[in-house]
Amino acid sequence: MIQKESYLEVADNSGAKLLQCIHIVGSTRKRFAYIGDQIKCAVKNAIPGGQVKKGDVVDAVIVRTRKEFRRDDGSYIRFSQNAAIILKDGEPVASRIFGPIARELRAKGYTKIISLAPEVL
């Protein structure tokens, strides 16, 4: 459950370390974003020499949330942190993805992210 001003960790090797959500893509009245939703973010912290710089505005997809997410079978999944992956034209910018990724991303059409992920829950 991510809203404007929420901070997220970055789960890829794009060079960014910390993101801040500035807009939820999809509607003007949409207040929260969940796993698999696309958001616009500002890069708040980045490593030197990375693909993205501090202050850049980037698109990202949410891959982990602290708030539990209800699945169709009635079970819930919850992670220990909020995390996102930076996108460019719908594809991930990075070549590696760190940590577990929720299975719901496959249904949303992010198959490249699923294939790069070390673990899909």
Side-chain angles (χ1 to χ4, degrees):
M1 187 148 98
I2 305 299
Q3 61 185 358
K4 288 186 180 182
E5 306 291 324
S6 295
Y7 279 82
L8 301 99
E9 302 289 325
V10 179
D12 61 26
N13 66 342
S14 62
K17 289 298 198 186
L18 193 64
L19 299 175
Q20 183 180 21
C21 177
I22 56 174
H23 180 71
I24 298 165
V25 176
S27 174
T28 55
R29 289 179 179 77
K30 195 169 181 184
R31 183 166 180 193
F32 300 112
Y34 300 94
I35 292 174
D37 288 348
Q38 194 170 346
I39 57 175
K40 285 234 183 244
C41 294
V43 177
K44 289 294 181 181
N45 192 358
I47 62 171
Q51 293 174 318
V52 294
K53 307 280 186 272
K54 181 181 176 184
D56 287 353
V57 175
V58 295
D59 290 326
V61 62
I62 299 170
V63 294
R64 295 193 287 269
T65 59
R66 294 278 311 243
K67 178 67 178 168
E68 64 273 359
F69 182 80
R70 184 183 164 94
R71 291 189 160 162
D72 292 336
D73 63 357
S75 65
Y76 289 88
I77 186 161
R78 177 176 55 209
F79 296 95
S80 60
Q81 63 180 350
N82 296 323
I85 291 174
I86 296 175
L87 302 175
K88 184 174 185 179
D89 301 327
E91 294 293 320
V93 169
S95 58
R96 294 180 62 203
I97 292 177
F98 307 116
I101 302 298
R103 170 178 20 175
E104 283 75 17
L105 267 73
R106 180 175 284 126
K108 300 267 183 145
Y110 295 106
T111 54
K112 178 76 173 176
I113 293 172
I114 294 291
S115 67
L116 292 172
E119 186 176 10
V120 179
L121 300 179

